[in-house]
Amino acid sequence: MSAYPSKGTALITGASTGIGAVYADRLAKRGYDLILVARSKEKLDEVGARLGSIGRRIETIAADLTRKEDVERVAARLSSDTAITALVNNAGTASVSKLLDAKVEDLESMIYLNVTALTRLALAALPGFVARNNGLVINIASVVALAPELLNGTYSGTKAYVVNFTQALKHELEGTGVTVQAVLPGATATPLWEKAGRPVEHLPSEIVMTAEDMVDAALAGLDRHELITIPSLPDIADWEKFEAARKALGPNLSRRKPAPRYAIQN
């Protein structure tokens, strides 16, 4: 049985394997009942069966979040179920091919899943969380949000969106009792790599973290009240300097006149 008191229900997307399945285990042990969402009902049921001994209520929803109608169905549940107190926006896919070699349809599907679905689900859950002065949204991004040179700019762009979206939510939700966090994993041993066309076994082993270690670090960051958690980053001061440099640009990003270096030379 869970050593934690009941914390309500956590809805986790992409919960049938990898990071999502580990979040299901860890949040159940922290006292959450679970609603597990993924495409495969069979795999979801396997996860539910493994977690049965923890003693939490577990429900599964088979949904393909690249399909608008399925996103709307899950969003409706998030907006109507007052027992839901946490959302883990984990479902996502990657693209590792060069942009000029990629199928545009595949990129569009990735953008819909990584950006549109994530946004719609978060914005379905948040009004209720705010009204109840309690709630948690964890958005899974990626370190490539900070490194567009890696993989390709479309995938990294979707993850940069997740970071920006989470930072904006933090600003808007101050004082509401709602917590938001963006998690930026590095290479993690999950089926995502195989689906993207680059098996994780082909990556240098020294850069690949297990999903268990990644989620445990992310939850430690949550306990530390971090808005941005980068599980592999040794010194948080490096991220703080990065953010400080970004914010220092602010006063000069929009001015009445162009910068002097752009003056036309006669």
Short mmCIF file of all heavy atoms in Angstrom, two decimals, residues 3 15 47 51 101 150 162 195 213 247-248:
data_model
loop_
_atom_site.label_atom_id
_atom_site.label_comp_id
_atom_site.label_asym_id
_atom_site.label_seq_id
_atom_site.Cartn_x
_atom_site.Cartn_y
_atom_site.Cartn_z
N ALA A 3 2.49 4.65 1.08
CA ALA A 3 2.79 5.27 2.37
C ALA A 3 2.30 6.71 2.40
O ALA A 3 2.32 7.35 3.45
CB ALA A 3 4.29 5.23 2.63
N ALA A 15 1.39 6.46 -21.27
CA ALA A 15 1.65 5.74 -20.02
C ALA A 15 1.92 4.26 -20.20
O ALA A 15 2.12 3.55 -19.21
CB ALA A 15 0.48 5.93 -19.06
N VAL A 47 0.45 -2.51 -17.73
CA VAL A 47 0.98 -1.58 -16.73
C VAL A 47 0.09 -1.57 -15.50
O VAL A 47 0.56 -1.63 -14.35
CB VAL A 47 1.09 -0.15 -17.32
CG1 VAL A 47 1.50 0.84 -16.23
CG2 VAL A 47 2.11 -0.12 -18.45
N LEU A 51 0.95 -2.59 -11.48
CA LEU A 51 0.84 -1.62 -10.40
C LEU A 51 -0.27 -1.97 -9.39
O LEU A 51 -0.45 -1.26 -8.41
CB LEU A 51 0.56 -0.23 -10.98
CG LEU A 51 1.62 0.33 -11.92
CD1 LEU A 51 1.21 1.71 -12.42
CD2 LEU A 51 2.98 0.39 -11.24
N ASP A 101 14.95 15.17 -45.71
CA ASP A 101 14.65 13.76 -45.95
C ASP A 101 13.36 13.31 -45.27
O ASP A 101 12.90 12.19 -45.50
CB ASP A 101 15.80 12.88 -45.44
CG ASP A 101 17.10 13.13 -46.19
OD1 ASP A 101 17.04 13.54 -47.36
OD2 ASP A 101 18.18 12.94 -45.58
N LEU A 150 20.89 19.66 -32.65
CA LEU A 150 20.78 18.21 -32.48
C LEU A 150 19.49 17.71 -33.13
O LEU A 150 18.46 18.39 -33.10
CB LEU A 150 20.80 17.85 -31.00
CG LEU A 150 22.06 18.24 -30.22
CD1 LEU A 150 21.91 17.87 -28.74
CD2 LEU A 150 23.29 17.57 -30.81
N VAL A 162 7.31 23.52 -25.57
CA VAL A 162 6.88 22.99 -24.26
C VAL A 162 7.52 23.79 -23.14
O VAL A 162 6.86 24.12 -22.14
CB VAL A 162 7.22 21.50 -24.15
CG1 VAL A 162 6.91 20.97 -22.75
CG2 VAL A 162 6.45 20.69 -25.19
N LYS A 195 11.15 4.06 -32.51
CA LYS A 195 10.08 4.57 -33.37
C LYS A 195 10.59 5.69 -34.26
O LYS A 195 10.10 5.88 -35.38
CB LYS A 195 8.92 5.07 -32.51
CG LYS A 195 8.21 3.97 -31.74
CD LYS A 195 7.13 4.53 -30.83
CE LYS A 195 6.47 3.45 -30.01
NZ LYS A 195 5.48 4.00 -29.05
N ASP A 213 15.74 6.29 -13.61
CA ASP A 213 16.58 7.35 -13.04
C ASP A 213 16.07 8.73 -13.46
O ASP A 213 16.08 9.68 -12.67
CB ASP A 213 18.03 7.18 -13.50
CG ASP A 213 18.77 6.09 -12.74
OD1 ASP A 213 18.24 5.61 -11.72
OD2 ASP A 213 19.88 5.72 -13.17
N LYS A 247 17.09 36.72 -20.05
CA LYS A 247 16.30 37.83 -19.53
C LYS A 247 17.00 39.17 -19.71
O LYS A 247 16.34 40.21 -19.85
CB LYS A 247 15.97 37.58 -18.06
CG LYS A 247 15.00 36.42 -17.85
CD LYS A 247 14.74 36.16 -16.38
CE LYS A 247 13.75 35.01 -16.20
NZ LYS A 247 13.52 34.70 -14.76
N ALA A 248 18.34 39.15 -19.72
CA ALA A 248 19.09 40.39 -19.91
C ALA A 248 18.86 40.99 -21.29
O ALA A 248 19.05 42.20 -21.49
CB ALA A 248 20.58 40.15 -19.68
#
